[in-house]
Amino acid sequence: MAAVAGGSRAAPSADSAAVAAVAKEAEYQKGVQKLVDLLSKLNPAAKEFVPSSAAVSSPSRKALSADAPVFDYNSIGGWNGGGKESGADAYQQRRRRNGYLSQGRRRVNERARHADREDSIRRTVYVSDIDHTVTEERLADIFANCGQVVDCRICGDPHSVLRFAFIEFADEEGARTALNLGGTMLGFYPVRVLPSKTAILPVNPKFLPRTEDEKEMVIRTVYCTNIDKKVTQLDVKNFFEELCGEVSRLRLLGDNVHSTRIAFVEVSPSKTPVKPRLNRVASN
């Protein structure tokens, strides 16, 4: 009776252990299923799932991202059925061809400008130690004996005793002949004449006269410098009208940097010629 009673007590404990094991297994399966459901909602191509072997090994090498789109070369790029480029590749090819053509034109233009500049330098001489009383017109007239003068520019401080100039000739022969004028007395000092190392900057054609009327206006216009800032536009007009005649246009310019101002003064043309004076014969 005791043995039977003991066996009956052991059976319930075994059944409870089996039930606990089944419940534990069910809980485990439930957890696994929850994890599977959670992972199935994630993007398998996300950055955190890219293996380390696909990462960029060095800054100089670039690799495609794991989530990069896949292109269909048969439809938008690569080669079509006819064996000709189309889509993005054709567009890139056109851009490259246009870029090569533009670069080629720029190189040709740069070479042409460089050749013109070198030719201008060979036709230009540098003149130094020029007296402040020498004007560009006089300097050009003197060097015109060497050849046709294309341009003449006197540079330097107008208040300085000595200045320098660049004189450009129509050909190299004129520039070589001009070198013989070194030591010529112009004013109070002998000038030095050397081959130039630079070309004269051309005048902006927008500022040059284009019509006959504008050329006439240039002839009637004078350029004035070293005007005191206290002098007004009316003062300049009265000064020129008293000595030269009626002023039709006047422009007085200046800034906060320079201590003096400049002016352009156009004098109106006369309607009658200047008659020569007749010597009066004294009557007896």
Side-chain angles (χ1 to χ4, degrees), residues 188-260:
F188 301 98
Y189 302 94
V191 297
R192 293 193 306 160
V193 184
L194 300 172
S196 178
K197 297 181 180 180
T198 182
I200 298 177
L201 183 66
V203 178
N204 191 336
K206 295 181 180 180
F207 301 138
L208 296 178
R210 301 180 181 180
T211 62
E212 293 299 326
D213 292 339
E214 290 182 352
K215 292 180 181 179
E216 290 293 332
M217 291 171 60
V218 171
I219 295 175
R220 299 193 304 267
T221 303
V222 294
Y223 170 70
C224 308
T225 61
N226 199 30
I227 301 176
D228 193 286
K229 285 193 173 182
K230 297 179 180 179
V231 177
T232 65
Q233 184 166 321
L234 181 59
D235 294 335
V236 177
K237 182 180 180 181
N238 294 335
F239 173 79
F240 275 91
E241 287 187 341
E242 181 180 354
L243 299 176
C244 306
E246 182 183 356
V247 174
S248 57
R249 292 183 180 87
L250 190 151
R251 182 69 61 83
L252 184 62
L253 305 174
D255 52 33
N256 297 326
V257 177
H258 299 85
S259 58
T260 58

Side-chain angles (χ1 to χ4, degrees), residues 62-252:
K62 295 183 178 180
L64 289 176
S65 174
D67 56 350
V70 178
F71 295 99
D72 184 3
Y73 287 92
N74 293 326
S75 60
I76 62 173
W79 299 83
N80 58 15
K84 296 181 179 180
E85 294 184 357
S86 62
D89 285 348
Y91 173 72
Q92 293 296 335
Q93 289 292 339
R94 286 195 299 270
R95 288 192 60 184
R96 282 194 290 269
R97 284 194 296 268
N98 294 336
Y100 295 152
L101 292 175
S102 300
Q103 292 177 5
R105 284 193 292 266
R106 283 196 296 269
R107 293 193 188 99
V108 172
N109 294 335
E110 289 176 359
R111 285 196 293 267
R113 287 194 295 268
H114 181 73
D116 292 341
R117 183 174 180 274
E118 291 297 325
D119 177 67
S120 178
I121 292 175
R122 289 191 295 268
R123 294 185 284 106
T124 304
V125 295
Y126 169 76
V127 185
S128 62
D129 298 346
I130 301 175
D131 191 282
H132 70 282
T133 60
V134 178
T135 63
E136 290 183 345
E137 291 78 8
R138 182 185 176 190
L139 189 64
D141 290 338
I142 294 174
F143 280 85
N145 297 323
C146 304
Q148 181 182 356
V149 175
V150 176
D151 200 352
C152 176
R153 305 282 183 89
I154 293 181
C155 310
D157 187 356
H159 304 291
S160 176
V161 177
L162 298 179
R163 293 176 294 167
F164 60 94
F166 296 93
I167 302 176
E168 181 181 349
F169 293 88
D171 50 35
E172 297 182 30
E173 182 63 26
R176 286 192 293 266
T177 306
L179 299 177
N180 298 325
L181 294 183
T184 302
M185 293 292 297
L186 292 182
F188 301 98
Y189 302 94
V191 297
R192 293 193 306 160
V193 184
L194 300 172
S196 178
K197 297 181 180 180
T198 182
I200 298 177
L201 183 66
V203 178
N204 191 336
K206 295 181 180 180
F207 301 138
L208 296 178
R210 301 180 181 180
T211 62
E212 293 299 326
D213 292 339
E214 290 182 352
K215 292 180 181 179
E216 290 293 332
M217 291 171 60
V218 171
I219 295 175
R220 299 193 304 267
T221 303
V222 294
Y223 170 70
C224 308
T225 61
N226 199 30
I227 301 176
D228 193 286
K229 285 193 173 182
K230 297 179 180 179
V231 177
T232 65
Q233 184 166 321
L234 181 59
D235 294 335
V236 177
K237 182 180 180 181
N238 294 335
F239 173 79
F240 275 91
E241 287 187 341
E242 181 180 354
L243 299 176
C244 306
E246 182 183 356
V247 174
S248 57
R249 292 183 180 87
L250 190 151
R251 182 69 61 83
L252 184 62

Side-chain angles (χ1 to χ4, degrees), residues 8-30:
S8 62
R9 284 196 299 270
S13 60
D15 292 340
S16 61
V19 172
V22 172
K24 187 176 181 180
E25 179 67 20
E27 185 69 22
Y28 172 76
Q29 292 295 335
K30 185 178 180 180

